[in-house]
Structure formats: structure tokens, C-alpha cells
Amino acid sequence: MAEEAGRRQDLGEGGIHPGDLYGFLVARGSLPAQPVRLAARGRNALAPGVRSNMDIRHLTFEQYRYFRDVGLGGQLPDEQVNRGYRGWAPLRNRAGSDLALGTGARWREWATVLLPEMGLWPGMQGGSSEFEVQACAKYGKTRTLYVPEDAAASADLFCVLERPDIVRAAARTLERKARDLFVVAGVDVAGGVVRGTLDGVDREFRMSAMSAKLRRITVYEGEFGLEALTLFVCRGGLMPGADAWKGYRHRAWEWMTALADSTTPHLPARRWRWHDLRHTHALQLLTYLENLMDGEEPDPKARSRRHHTYLTGHIRHNPLLIVSRRLGHADPSTTYEYLQYTDDLVNEFEAAFRGWVGDDDAT
């Protein structure tokens, strides 16, 4: 009896496992296939043989510059200043797009970045930087993000020209909320640690282990009073949330579609997402590395990379694996989805069949 009770507990009420029931119904012909179920950590567990493809959407160089400069930055298509622009904090929004594209990070990773992580902190040299993400990364998987110099310069421009006015206007509001905030008293840049007071208790946190929720309420005593430790701030003085960034993107789309003219690059039917910049980063990097391996890029290291035959060399220099590590993909097969977009089929056709079709002497 005890053995039977244990078996029933393992299988569920009635002694029948849900999977066995669906399998029985499929075998009987009552169901065409087993249904999709939601597995742990938000992943879809599909029935055998069913694969979910990624919705890869990416931007060309012209599309990205139009999205960033016209939609987010308030310029006219001819790169002139738009006097009628009614957006807010264009330098912040441009910096966000540059950081998303330059790092290839997911929204929760780049939108929650702290000033010390960006190198924008007293005593730090600035420029390109590297920092570790964990709590804000997908599934909490630790990896290192690299911020290229151009993206860092865009963030620095925001900090110099636009951010001070935002934090000055919000300082009094943050002072009134101080009891509900994590007020940082010291930042150990080398150790990646911040120390301060939260709920009346002295606390210490490793920056990479700080959740997005904690980062949003983290402040320090700045020039004008309390100000957010996060790079990006909104009118209230704290880090913009997901809905705020969604609003920035939607308004940018409305603005740039309204200004579209004959010089505007082709716009897709659906408005762009922030995540499209991650896809664009992946494709650009993958294409560049593939060309490097093929000797099409002027890099002195290209020859040595092409002739690595050992397993360690393959792992270190394989373009697909490099991009997979950079994006933090748990499985390289996810990165494999991007390969179908790296082929330039038009130019490949022209090269392969040059002279086959048409009359070369025709004018």
C-alpha cells in the first residue's frame, strides 16, 4: 500500500501523469499532438519535433541612423535641427540606442547600467569599459559586457549636456523619498561594490548582483543633492522603467514616420523594438568575423586565425562561438539562427553568374 501511495504521489492525483494522459489521447487519435506547456524559467517545452524559430529583425546602417537621429534625436532627415521637435531628452535616448547597439545587450542589461560600471565616475578615465552582469542578465547567467568607445562617448555627452538639468530638477523630490531609497555612501570601483543605507540598515552589494528593482532606487549625494546612480534618469530623477523606454521608442517611430520623405530609408511594416538593436549587433559582428576568417578584412591577425586547427583555437576564434559568448546565449544553436541573414545573396549571384546573363556590350 505504501508503495502504491508513493507511486500515486509521483504521478499526481488519480495515479496518472499528465504526459501519459496526453500520450494516450494522441495514440488513440483523440488529439493530433501533445499540447505546448510552459516549462521552468519561462521556456516553452514543445512537443517532440516542434521547434520555435527566433523572430530576428535587424536594421541596416541607414535605418539605424534614421531611427537614432530623426526618431530619437529630433533631427530632420537632412540632418538639420528640427525646430518643431517636441520630444524630451533626445541625448539620453540616443545614448540608449548607441549603448544597446554597441554592447548587443538585452534591454534589462543596458537600461539599468550604473555610472561606475560605465566608467563615468570620479577617478575613472572613461572611454571604453567592461563590466559584469548577473542579476539583470537573462536567467541570472553571468557574463562580461564590453562598451565600445563610441557608445561610451554618446553616454558621456548625455551626462555632460543633459543629465545635470534632469537631476537638478528632481533633487528635491528624491530628498523627500530618501527613506525609501538605497542611499550609497561609498563606491569601491575596483571591487565592484557599493555601500550605503537601505531601510535604516547599513548594506553592501556587489554591483553585478544588484537587481533592476534595487538599481532603480539606488542614489548617491551628488552636486545638486541626491541623484540616481544609474546612467539613465527620467523626470522623477530615477531610472526609467520598461514602460518609459517603450514610450520613447513609440514616440520615435511616430515622429520619424511622420517626417519620412524621398531620402528616408525603407521602413518596415512593424515599428522597431529595442531588441532589434541586439539582433543588429549580432549580425554585424558575425558578418565581420566571417569576413575576417575569409581574409576579406584588413587585419594582420586574420591569417593566423584562419589556420587554427586545434580545438582550443577553434573555440576561441570561431565567429559563431565568439558571438554566442558575447550575446550570452546558453546554447550556440540559438546563435546559429543568425547565419541565414549573413549571406549577401544578390552579390553572390552577381559574382557566380557574371557574364552568363545579358549582353556585356549593351549600352
Side-chain angles (χ1 to χ4, degrees), residues 8-318:
R8 285 179 176 271
Q9 184 176 7
D10 291 339
L11 296 177
E13 187 175 355
I16 300 176
H17 191 282
D20 294 339
L21 174 61
Y22 290 127
F24 169 74
L25 292 176
V26 170
R28 186 179 178 180
S30 301
L31 287 177
Q34 294 193 30
V36 175
R37 63 184 177 85
L38 190 65
R41 299 164 78 173
R43 297 176 179 176
N44 285 327
L46 303 176
V50 179
R51 180 184 175 87
S52 176
N53 292 325
M54 294 170 57
D55 181 19
I56 297 178
R57 296 165 55 189
H58 54 95
L59 286 66
T60 64
F61 173 77
E62 292 77 15
Q63 288 174 333
Y64 174 69
R65 294 297 291 267
Y66 188 79
F67 170 58
R68 187 196 69 177
D69 298 339
V70 177
L72 296 172
Q75 293 182 6
L76 292 172
D78 61 1
E79 300 183 358
Q80 299 299 311
V81 175
N82 188 352
R83 303 292 181 182
Y85 181 64
R86 294 293 181 267
W88 191 74
L91 293 180
R92 176 200 59 198
N93 301 342
R94 281 169 53 105
S97 65
D98 282 341
L99 189 59
L101 179 70
T103 61
R106 300 178 179 92
W107 173 86
R108 187 178 291 271
E109 297 165 344
W110 63 260
T112 63
V113 64
L114 303 177
L115 290 170
E117 292 173 327
M118 285 289 298
L120 301 172
W121 193 251
M124 302 184 72
Q125 296 180 350
S128 61
S129 63
E130 290 187 2
F131 62 94
E132 187 180 82
V133 292
Q134 178 193 349
C136 292
K138 191 174 183 179
Y139 307 135
K141 182 181 178 182
T142 303
R143 81 176 192 282
T144 299
L145 281 187
Y146 171 71
V147 181
E149 188 172 350
D150 289 345
S154 183
D156 186 49
L157 186 64
F158 160 62
C159 289
V160 171
L161 297 182
E162 206 170 73
R163 194 177 188 276
D165 291 336
I166 301 175
V167 299
R168 183 190 296 112
R172 186 172 298 179
T173 300
L174 294 185
E175 291 289 351
R176 293 195 296 265
K177 297 179 178 180
R179 296 175 60 181
D180 300 322
L181 304 174
F182 173 39
V183 183
V184 172
V187 177
D188 179 2
V189 175
V193 171
V194 292
R195 301 179 182 87
T197 304
L198 178 63
D199 296 329
V201 179
D202 291 339
R203 301 292 300 275
E204 177 179 299
F205 295 98
R206 187 164 48 88
M207 283 188 273
S208 61
M210 294 173 66
S211 66
K213 183 177 180 180
L214 177 59
R215 288 168 178 254
R216 190 175 190 278
I217 62 171
T218 301
V219 298
Y220 72 100
E221 192 69 35
E223 180 182 356
F224 310 108
L226 291 182
E227 67 175 271
L229 192 65
T230 51
L231 166 63
F232 298 113
V233 290
C234 59
R235 291 184 189 272
L238 297 177
M239 181 187 81
D243 289 341
W245 282 105
K246 182 179 181 180
Y248 306 154
R249 177 173 58 85
H250 284 198
R251 285 191 290 274
W253 177 262
E254 293 169 1
W255 191 255
M256 65 189 190
T257 51
L259 291 175
D261 59 18
S262 59
T263 65
T264 300
H266 172 74
L267 301 179
R270 293 181 293 169
R271 61 173 163 244
W272 285 309
R273 311 161 298 182
W274 290 113
H275 203 73
D276 294 347
L277 301 183
R278 174 175 165 86
H279 292 168
T280 304
H281 171 95
L283 285 169
Q284 284 295 111
L285 181 58
L286 186 58
T287 301
Y288 171 80
L289 292 174
E290 286 183 332
N291 291 339
L292 196 67
M293 294 289 286
D294 293 337
E296 297 177 17
E297 294 291 343
D299 189 324
K301 298 180 180 178
R303 182 180 299 275
S304 63
R305 290 187 178 187
R306 289 198 303 274
H307 294 287
H308 274 290
T309 56
Y310 295 106
L311 178 61
T312 54
H314 171 75
I315 293 174
R316 289 181 57 195
H317 300 293
N318 182 285

